[in-house]
């Protein structure tokens, strides 16, 4: 009988991608994915270490899982394997084993292709946790099996992993290791498989995705702009996105691609973190606020309807009122369609954690509220700017209410319409009729893609 696998994913899209790949690796061993802990034979927590709150969640979740496991054993004698993967496993492997000794397996992001071996070792280990947090010399991507998890209309594709930038606040270079780029032919092959399996949109992923440079199809070193132009030739692939990028790696070719590749969506997540040059330098971001403004100008010059989103950290060590005011100014001048703001969280082992002038929590709270108010206003204004517009929507799922389906605009806005479910997986022109806080309402204008029968009785 098939065994049930439940993977709970925290953190970024790279973890979402990795969770699907772990399911692919375990499928040949007889594990079928399920969406709850109930009755699961194996539970994997795919964890995130980026902020303190994120990593502390793991320990409370592990406590709950241990109780579920005991209940299960008492109920039907079944055994539930508990595993911790992802960035907390990488950063605190030993500590997890010490704090939660009932855990069976702890393994880092570079080891997923070795899961079959780990599972076999865990079943022999008899109550002793199996730990694997090596950065193996062989490349994980080359050793993973081809993906068998069905993609939806939108799919993620990891093209780059790791980071060499070493921003002083960030754990990623330590949890994911050095930058590694896959070759263009492997990426193209995976993209073609995803499209053949039904994906219409692909988001290229990497911790620092625009640092991607891999062997191109002509044997030369390609950069991201070239790769995107190449993938745009795939028939049936309608939308391309990429994330997360660093301002320093926005090269001329990539900026130009925003103007010349229609399938590249006019929405870019470009984290800037702060508007103060002093703080940007202390963060080791290696660019100024003015550099960021210039990049945005160049992008908008080639693609006028480009919308931007970003990440901000408030309360980085040494951030004074004038620095924070510079951040607010940058936000006001740039105009974002969306933005994520975080309170600085000191992470063990990173240079900023031991910097002087740590900012008090109360100041961070105040700044966070101020920044969020500003970006919420910008987000609302951006949504309102689409009222009465006609936009192509890629439908992805059913809506909350019967008869509704939900998709995304080119600018990643959720668009809710009343239309038959047969439109899921298709792109249709919609007129935007209403503006909500986090979504738009619309009506389908173009029903060419509905099956004949639907149209006949409409
Ligand atoms: N690779 C991406 C982002 C990685 S983490 C980049 O370079 O931008 C996602 C976001 O989390 C970051 O952009 C940053 O805003 C936030 N973040 C990272 N470390 C943090 C910390 N120690 N405290 C608070 N926020 C943090
Ligand atoms: Fe972290 Fe900076 Fe690398 Fe982004 S670029 S992953 S913030 S070190
Ligand atoms: Fe978190 Fe690791 Fe992603 S720390 S944000 S899951 S790279």
């Amino acid at each position: 009988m098939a065994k049930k696998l439940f993977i709970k994913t925290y953190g970024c899209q790279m973890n979402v991608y990795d969770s699907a790949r772990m399911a692919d690796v375990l499928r040949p061993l007889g594990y079928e994915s399920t969406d709850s802990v109930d009755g699961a034979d194996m539970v994997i927590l795919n964890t995130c270490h980026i902020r303190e709150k994120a990593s502390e969640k793991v320990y409370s979740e592990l406590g709950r899982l241990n109780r579920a496991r005991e209940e299960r054993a008492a109920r039907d004698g079944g055994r539930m394997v508990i595993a911790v993967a992802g960035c907390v496993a990488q950063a605190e492997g030993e500590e997890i084993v010490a704090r939660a000794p009932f855990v069976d397996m702890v393994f880092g992001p570079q080891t997923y292709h070795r899961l079959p071996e780990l599972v076999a070792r865990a079943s022999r280990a008899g109550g002793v946790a199996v730990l694997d947090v090596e950065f193996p010399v062989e490349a994980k991507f080359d050793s993973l099996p081809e993906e068998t998890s069905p993609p939806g209309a939108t799919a993620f594709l990891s093209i780059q992993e790791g980071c060499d930038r070493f921003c002083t606040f960030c754990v990623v270079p330590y949890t994911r290791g050095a930058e590694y780029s896959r070759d263009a032919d492997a990426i193209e092959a995976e993209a073609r498989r995803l499209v053949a399996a039904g994906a219409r949109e692909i988001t290229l992923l990497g911790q620092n995705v625009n640092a991607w440079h891999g062997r191109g199809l002509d044997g030369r070193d390609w950069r991201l702009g070239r790769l995107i132009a190449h993938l745009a030739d795939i028939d049936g692939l309608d939308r391309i996105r990429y994330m997360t990028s660093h301002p320093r790696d926005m090269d001329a070719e990539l900026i130009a691609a925003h103007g010349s590749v229609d399938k590249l969506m006019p929405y870019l997540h470009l984290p800037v973190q702060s508007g103060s040059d002093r703080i940007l330098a202390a963060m080791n971001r290696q660019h100024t606020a003015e550099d960021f403004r210039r990049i945005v100008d160049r992008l908008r010059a080639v693609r006028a309807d480009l919308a931007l989103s970003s990440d901000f950290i408030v309360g980085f060590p040494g951030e004074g009122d004038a620095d924070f005011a510079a951040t607010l100014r940058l936000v006001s001048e740039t105009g974002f369609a969306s933005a994520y703001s975080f309170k600085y969280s000191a992470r063990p082992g990173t240079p900023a954690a031991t910097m002087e002038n740590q900012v008090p929590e109360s100041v961070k709270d105040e700044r966070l509220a101020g920044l969020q108010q500003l970006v919420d206003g910008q987000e609302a204004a951006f949504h309102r700017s689409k009222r009465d517009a006609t936009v192509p929507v890629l439908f992805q799922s059913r809506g909350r209410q019967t008869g509704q389906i939900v998709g995304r605009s080119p600018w990643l806005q959720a668009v809710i319409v009343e239309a038959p479910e047969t439109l899921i997986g298709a792109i249709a022109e919609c007129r935007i009729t209403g503006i909500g806080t986090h979504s738009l309402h619309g009506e389908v204008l173009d029903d060419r893609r509905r099956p004949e029968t639907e149209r006949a009785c409409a």
Side-chain angles (χ1 to χ4, degrees):
M1 204 181 67
K3 288 171 277 190
K4 287 194 175 146
L5 168 70
F6 175 57
I7 306 183
K8 185 161 182 179
T9 309
Y10 303 83
C12 62
Q13 278 82 357
M14 305 264 328
N15 266 10
V16 175
Y17 175 87
D18 284 348
S19 290
R21 304 313 310 274
M22 282 192 259
D24 294 338
V25 174
L26 290 168
R27 201 163 287 119
L29 304 189
Y31 285 94
E32 249 171 36
S33 294
T34 170
D35 51 12
S36 90
V37 173
D38 286 338
D41 300 288
M42 183 185 294
V43 178
I44 302 177
L45 300 183
N46 192 7
T47 60
C48 174
H49 198 243
I50 202 81
R51 284 168 290 273
E52 190 180 350
K53 253 199 204 142
S55 47
E56 278 306 311
K57 258 188 222 159
V58 176
Y59 293 99
S60 48
E61 187 64 32
L62 281 174
R64 272 196 294 275
L65 281 180
N66 194 31
R67 286 191 295 280
R69 158 150 77 186
E70 282 163 6
E71 276 164 29
R72 166 95 196 271
R75 197 172 58 235
D76 59 12
R79 180 173 132 77
M80 179 170 125
V81 174
I82 300 179
V84 185
C87 291
V88 181
Q90 186 64 44
E92 306 181 354
E94 308 271 352
E95 193 183 334
I96 294 170
V97 176
R99 275 177 72 176
F102 52 84
V103 167
D104 299 288
M105 303 191 285
V106 179
F107 47 92
Q110 305 304 325
T111 66
Y112 299 154
H113 56 295
R114 295 204 299 236
L115 258 174
E117 186 191 320
L118 285 173
V119 172
R121 269 168 56 201
S123 66
R124 289 194 303 269
V128 184
V130 174
L131 183 68
D132 188 349
V133 289
E134 298 295 307
F135 284 126
V137 271
E138 82 268 21
K140 166 176 90 173
F141 289 114
D142 298 337
S143 318
L144 280 167
E146 282 187 10
E147 51 309 313
T148 49
S149 302
T154 63
F156 290 135
L157 200 175
S158 280
I159 64 167
Q160 182 275 341
E161 182 152 32
C163 184
D164 293 342
R165 287 244 166 248
F166 288 93
C167 302
T168 54
F169 51 80
C170 183
V171 294
V172 171
Y174 312 97
T175 62
R176 294 278 175 164
E179 267 175 31
Y180 170 82
S181 292
R182 299 173 72 184
D183 289 338
D185 57 353
I187 295 168
E188 182 189 341
E190 186 167 335
R192 288 190 184 278
R193 286 195 299 270
L194 290 168
V195 171
R200 306 283 305 266
E201 170 180 303
I202 290 180
T203 302
L204 305 174
L205 296 180
Q207 263 89 26
N208 183 8
V209 73
N210 55 344
W212 180 87
H213 62 99
R215 188 155 49 86
L217 274 88
D218 55 7
R220 301 222 181 112
D221 197 53
W222 284 9
R223 294 197 47 98
L224 187 59
R226 180 81 194 268
L227 178 72
I228 288 171
H230 180 72
L231 295 176
D233 286 338
I234 297 177
D235 283 337
L237 176 61
D238 296 297
R239 293 180 167 192
I240 302 174
R241 304 178 187 275
Y242 62 95
M243 74 183 300
T244 297
S245 29
H246 191 295
R248 268 294 296 262
D249 293 304
M250 289 303 301
D251 63 19
E253 194 180 24
L254 182 56
I255 292 175
H258 279 274
S260 59
V261 181
D262 289 342
K263 290 181 180 180
L264 183 56
M265 289 293 101
Y267 182 91
L268 178 63
H269 183 63
L270 190 61
V272 59
Q273 317 296 355
S274 169
S276 153
D277 289 345
R278 217 172 57 81
I279 296 299
L280 286 169
M283 287 175 163
N284 189 32
R285 291 291 290 183
Q286 301 167 38
H287 64 80
T288 62
E290 188 51 35
D291 293 334
F292 180 80
R293 287 186 177 93
R294 264 203 303 269
I295 292 165
V296 170
D297 288 347
R298 286 167 65 200
L299 282 161
R300 286 178 169 157
V302 297
R303 184 86 207 224
D305 64 345
L306 184 90
L308 285 163
S309 86
S310 199
D311 291 342
F312 294 91
I313 295 179
V314 298
F316 184 82
E319 184 188 71
D321 289 339
D323 300 304
F324 180 60
T327 299
L328 294 179
R329 211 160 45 238
L330 181 75
V331 173
S332 301
E333 288 166 10
T334 309
F336 290 97
S338 145
Y340 302 87
S341 8
F342 307 101
K343 288 192 281 178
Y344 169 70
S345 166
R347 307 306 289 130
T350 60
T354 49
M355 284 180 186
E356 283 169 18
N357 300 321
Q358 298 283 329
V359 174
E361 257 338 269
S362 57
V363 176
K364 289 184 196 169
D365 285 331
E366 217 173 281
R367 289 182 186 162
L368 185 72
L371 180 57
Q372 267 172 352
Q373 197 185 2
L374 180 61
V375 296
D376 285 353
Q378 292 193 341
E379 186 172 340
F382 180 70
H383 286 337
R384 279 198 308 273
S385 75
K386 300 296 175 205
R387 186 187 286 280
D388 296 326
T390 299
V391 303
V393 177
L394 169 55
F395 289 103
Q396 284 162 251
S397 59
R398 279 189 213 139
R400 228 175 274 155
Q401 280 160 32
T402 352
Q404 289 183 336
I405 58 172
V406 187
R408 294 276 174 180
S409 78
W411 305 278
L412 271 188
Q413 298 153 296
V415 182
I416 303 169
V417 303
E418 300 216 337
E421 280 175 25
T422 45
L423 269 186
I424 293 173
I427 297 174
E429 292 293 329
C430 296
R431 197 175 71 88
I432 302 305
T433 52
I435 312 290
T437 323
H438 298 294
S439 56
L440 310 180
H441 289 263
E443 59 192 21
V444 176
L445 295 178
D446 159 6
D447 66 353
R448 274 171 305 173
R449 290 171 204 252
R450 289 192 213 173
E452 291 303 323
T453 46
E454 293 274 352
R455 241 188 298 162
C457 40

